[in-house]
Amino acid sequence: MAETATPAETVNTDKLRAARRSPASHLASAFESGSVAGTVALKEIPFQTMVGIRVNRESDAGARLASVTGGLPAACGEVTGTERATTLWLGPEEFLVVAPEMAHDSLGGDLVRALVEALGEDQGQVVDLSANRTTFELSGIRARDVLEKGCSLDLHPRAFRPGTALATEIGNIPAMLLKTGEDSFLIFPRASFADFLGRWLLDGMREFASPEVP
């Protein structure tokens, strides 16, 4: 039977959430003012649930974990998942599961605990990495142009399609880059690099605020 949070637990969770500050919270107003309507927009999606998995995807444990996440990617760049969670390929036996903030506690099904239980005593690893990274969303018709100023990947649509995620560097900052749509990307930098990368992206967007740019 699924556990139900008590009112006291809900209030305590809400208080803890209200007290937190995301790695780029101090840049929120700059992200808003630096975004250009209809051209390029930047925002932080804070406090997402992130879980690192190490497992042989062909093993019984891999199958059980895949049943929780909605699949484990089989190759570099591949992304799997459902509405509950998205899983990125980091290596042949290494994956990053990304889910909404609520997935981290009993109110959202406690994804972390479900993954730990799915692994059981078998060989592998499930680690809560939610505090390790933050998430930036860069979108708009000029989003790719901004990224190409400091990303060595071939970001042309024929090479980097929606539903593709790769490890790369953006402005010399290591990050995972996920293309979610034709003109939208999610960037997952380490929390300690959030300030630098956020400011770098803003600087790359600045030219598109000029009316002279077609």
Side-chain angles (χ1 to χ4, degrees):
M1 180 181 294
E3 295 183 7
T4 302
T6 66
E9 289 174 332
T10 300
V11 170
N12 187 50
T13 298
D14 290 342
K15 286 183 177 179
L16 289 173
R17 284 180 172 151
R20 292 183 301 177
R21 295 293 180 268
S22 65
S25 60
H26 59 293
L27 295 175
S29 60
F31 287 172
E32 184 176 358
S33 61
S35 296
V36 185
T39 302
V40 63
L42 175 63
K43 68 178 182 179
E44 183 186 23
I45 306 176
F47 310 127
Q48 291 206 94
T49 300
M50 298 190 192
V51 187
I53 294 177
R54 289 180 182 270
V55 71
N56 180 349
R57 63 184 303 276
E58 303 297 335
S59 66
D60 290 342
R64 293 195 302 271
L65 288 166
S67 70
V68 176
T69 64
L72 296 177
C76 180
E78 187 175 322
V79 176
T80 60
T82 63
E83 292 183 356
R84 184 184 188 190
T86 299
T87 305
L88 286 57
W89 190 95
L90 299 181
E93 296 186 357
E94 185 177 3
F95 313 92
L96 179 66
V97 183
V98 182
E101 177 185 0
M102 292 291 286
H104 197 272
D105 54 42
S106 59
L107 297 177
D110 202 339
L111 176 63
V112 180
R113 184 173 66 177
L115 290 169
V116 170
E117 292 175 349
L119 178 61
E121 298 299 322
D122 286 0
Q123 184 174 356
Q125 189 178 58
V126 172
V127 181
D128 184 355
L129 300 175
S130 301
N132 191 36
R133 298 175 185 265
T134 192
T135 306
F136 291 148
E137 181 180 62
L138 185 68
S139 60
I141 58 174
R142 292 294 197 177
R144 177 162 67 97
D145 295 311
V146 173
L147 290 172
E148 285 178 336
K149 294 180 179 183
C151 179
S152 60
L153 292 177
D154 182 357
L155 298 179
H156 191 280
R158 66 171 174 262
F160 198 63
R161 300 186 177 94
T164 301
L166 292 170
T168 186
E169 288 189 357
I170 302 171
N172 294 321
I173 297 301
M176 289 297 299
L177 179 64
L178 168 62
K179 187 172 184 179
T180 56
E182 291 300 332
D183 297 310
S184 59
F185 302 83
L186 291 180
I187 305 167
F188 305 99
R190 305 284 184 183
S192 57
F193 293 132
D195 177 82
F196 182 93
L197 183 56
R199 294 179 189 278
W200 185 92
L201 291 167
L202 280 172
D203 187 60
M205 294 163 56
R206 188 169 293 123
E207 69 166 295
F208 302 115
S210 171
E212 286 78 26
V213 177

